[in-house]
Amino acid sequence: MSFEQLGLTEKLLQAVADQGYQTPTPVQQQAIPVILAGRDVMAGAQTGTGKTAGFTLPLLQRLDAQTAQHHKRPPIRALILTPTRELALQVSESVRIYGKHLTLHAEAIYGGVSISEQIRKLRKGCDIVVATPGRLLDHVLQKNIDLSTVDILVLDEADRMLDMGFMPDLRRIISYLPKKRQNLMFSATYSNEIKSLAATVLTDAVEIAVARQNATADNIAERVYGISKEHKRELLSYLIGSNNWKQVLVFVRTKHGADRLEKQLIQDGIRAAALHGDKTQGARVKALDYFKTGKVAVLVATDIAARGLDIDQLPHVINYDLPQVAEDYIHRIGRTGRAGLNGEALSLVCPEEAWQLADIEKLLKREIPRVADTGYEPVSLKVAHAPKKLTPNKNTGKKDFRHHKKSGSKPAAKPANNRRGSSKTR
Ligand code: AMP
């Protein structure tokens, strides 16, 4: 199937050709005609499937068709909600790229930056707003923005918005929208909460599922390295250095852990930068820019900070810590193997994380292949006994894996061969 067969206008086809896309991805093939026909959509599409163009192209076409007279101050006709500022920026950039032959105007609205500049931009008017829920709600409550003219609502990465606790904000935002509108919802996973959100937001939606539910892309080679906690850093430096990897996204659990690992990698002679929520917007943009342009080879990121990163052809993702929530494994490794390219996703798993690994494999309904010889003393990743029922963490209110600490085997002994020596010679 070609883009021409999807019913897109010449200007949009031109923008697609400018991007060098040859054929529409499966989500684009299914979503574009349905959205053009004005239907609501519920798409189970993970990141990397081309979902952004899947909703942006038909959305632009529908708005463009209705732009008959020139508005001095255009009313907002499309609202795209995203979980993070990175994703908001990335989607608004996609709107700019795909809409470059049209006259529609988009603004990105997100927290962590001055609100007054956003107020100024909103006063000028725009056709499309791409926003994170919290900051958008601030503008709504301050009456800086009028959502009563919105024709199309997009909830991008809806599962992540719910994970981040945006449900109340979403409900409030939706109450300011006109009842009659087109709704497009994209989510990598289907929880009961997602289904109930879909039931309240969507009307007679066409369901699109492009990847198997809770499955990861087939073109991503996944492997688990069983390794003791104290040797993880050494193994990481060794893998990156000995393979001469130039672009590696490394996931860690905490902001502090990201900063620490960044320093340690730099000490090992590896160019690295950390990306997490405590960094200023400027520092985050800079770290991402350095990573994209190859000034640093390794980006050490927390889950939330990495959400929405769009780095073309990212070849390697490494889970330095396994995620707290099993679904995040799918989000994380979806950073590689994008748009049909091959990718590699490695997980360095210590015995203390055996439960997290078991949870991930239960979700995936398959075992992730283990590396037989890691070069270190083997450790067992078998789960010894059933976990205690998870209770919410006192500080975060979220269920976590604290109770699983004693699981797995006893700590590993010294490495079988000394990789520290070999990494020093690099
Ligand atoms: P997304 O799933 O929207 O985050 O898109 C993933 C990546 O695929 C982005 O880098 C897009 O530029 C790219 N992409 C989107 N559509 C296509 C296509 N039809 N052919 C090739 N690459 C594409």
Side-chain angles (χ1 to χ4, degrees):
M1 183 180 275
S2 68
F3 276 103
E4 283 74 18
Q5 289 167 282
L6 297 176
L8 292 169
T9 57
E10 201 46 53
K11 286 176 179 168
L12 289 164
L13 289 173
Q14 185 57 51
V16 165
D18 294 345
Q19 284 304 103
Y21 302 164
Q22 308 281 324
T23 44
T25 65
V27 71
Q28 291 164 0
Q29 291 182 21
Q30 293 180 65
I32 291 173
V34 172
I35 299 172
L36 285 177
R39 296 283 303 272
D40 279 12
V41 162
M42 169 76 222
Q46 63 197 58
T47 186
T49 52
K51 66 181 169 63
T52 316
F55 67 76
T56 306
L57 289 166
L59 178 146
L60 286 167
Q61 180 153 327
R62 281 180 68 73
L63 297 190
D64 188 50
Q66 292 153 13
T67 316
Q69 70 276 50
H70 182 73
H71 284 277
K72 208 163 168 230
R73 188 178 180 280
I76 297 165
R77 286 179 296 146
L79 174 63
I80 304 172
L81 292 175
T82 69
T84 62
R85 45 187 161 178
E86 278 78 13
L87 189 59
L89 277 169
Q90 185 192 308
V91 171
S92 63
E93 178 62 10
S94 295
V95 170
R96 195 190 60 73
I97 288 171
Y98 301 132
K100 69 181 192 185
H101 302 297
L102 309 175
T103 54
L104 298 167
H105 186 67
E107 285 297 345
I109 299 292
Y110 47 86
V113 291
S114 149
I115 198 163
S116 49
E117 178 64 10
Q118 291 177 350
I119 295 173
R120 198 183 60 76
K121 285 181 177 162
L122 287 171
R123 289 213 178 112
K124 277 192 179 169
C126 55
D127 305 276
I128 302 160
V129 166
V130 187
T132 51
R135 177 55 69 91
L136 180 73
L137 199 55
D138 290 345
H139 283 291
V140 171
L141 298 176
Q142 290 182 21
K143 301 204 182 332
N144 301 329
I145 191 166
D146 176 13
L147 298 181
S148 68
T149 51
V150 169
D151 290 325
I152 307 177
L153 169 70
V154 183
L155 300 181
D156 192 15
E157 304 202 354
D159 49 348
R160 180 46 60 116
M161 283 199 272
L162 299 191
D163 284 350
M164 291 173 68
F166 281 133
M167 186 69 146
D169 285 358
L170 286 182
R171 287 201 191 283
R172 285 191 77 177
I173 290 167
I174 289 166
S175 74
Y176 288 94
L177 301 175
K179 294 252 170 319
K180 196 172 164 311
R181 53 172 203 267
Q182 185 177 17
N183 302 289
L184 316 174
M185 192 160 147
F186 290 76
S187 178
T189 50
Y190 284 103
S191 61
N192 287 339
E193 225 185 345
I194 281 288
K195 286 181 195 149
S196 87
L197 178 68
T200 54
V201 172
L202 307 174
T203 311
D204 190 23
V206 176
E207 286 193 26
I208 295 172
V210 289
R212 268 170 292 133
Q213 205 173 308
N214 292 341
T216 46
D218 290 336
N219 53 330
I220 302 172
E222 295 163 82
R223 267 173 292 150
V224 162
Y225 284 75
I227 181 92
S228 67
K229 205 188 241 169
E230 56 267 38
H231 292 126
K232 275 194 184 185
R233 206 256 301 145
E234 232 173 271
L235 175 61
L236 178 71
S237 292
Y238 173 77
L239 285 170
I240 296 168
S242 61
N243 291 300
N244 201 14
W245 285 337
K246 298 271 188 284
Q247 208 180 33
V248 189
L249 180 58
V250 176
F251 283 97
V252 291
R253 198 166 58 82
T254 64
K255 298 167 192 170
H256 179 63
D259 284 336
R260 195 175 48 213
L261 189 58
E262 175 197 26
K263 282 201 192 84
Q264 290 172 335
L265 288 171
I266 292 170
Q267 274 171 16
D268 283 352
I270 293 170
R271 289 164 297 124
L275 186 82
H276 57 68
D278 278 356
K279 298 243 169 190
T280 61
Q281 180 66 6
R284 289 160 74 157
V285 169
K286 193 166 141 194
L288 190 57
D289 183 55
Y290 278 12
F291 186 56
K292 282 190 172 183
T293 55
K295 279 193 190 140
V296 298
V298 182
L299 192 64
V300 185
T302 55
D303 285 293
I304 294 196
R307 193 69 181 165
L309 293 186
D310 179 26
I311 302 144
D312 282 340
Q313 304 176 24
L314 183 59
H316 309 283
V317 166
I318 299 184
N319 292 310
Y320 187 78
D321 300 316
L322 281 186
Q324 299 268 20
V325 180
E327 279 87 357
D328 280 344
Y329 178 83
I330 298 172
H331 293 306
R332 285 180 175 190
I333 77 163
R335 305 280 133 206
T336 185
R338 301 193 132 202
L341 293 160
N342 289 331
E344 192 168 37
L346 311 180
S347 300
L348 312 191
V349 185
C350 61
E352 291 83 350
E353 294 170 306
W355 284 109
Q356 279 140 285
L357 182 63
D359 267 15
I360 290 165
E361 294 186 325
K362 197 169 149 208
L363 179 76
L364 297 174
K365 296 195 179 69
R366 61 181 166 78
E367 190 167 88
I368 305 167
R370 310 293 196 260
V371 173
D373 179 15
T374 62
Y376 290 82
E377 190 75 27
V379 298
S380 164
L381 298 178
K382 289 224 166 66
V383 175
H385 51 81
K388 282 184 196 159
K389 203 168 178 310
L390 293 183
T391 49
N393 175 324
K394 265 188 259 148
N395 301 323
T396 64
K398 284 185 179 168
K399 288 181 180 175
D400 67 17
F401 292 92
R402 285 179 174 205
H403 308 294
H404 301 333
K405 276 213 157 146
K406 288 199 184 97
S407 65
S409 72
K410 55 182 185 296
K414 283 188 173 165
N417 56 23
N418 186 353
R419 282 212 162 139
R420 193 185 284 278
S422 63
S423 76
K424 270 201 179 136
T425 58
R426 288 192 313 273

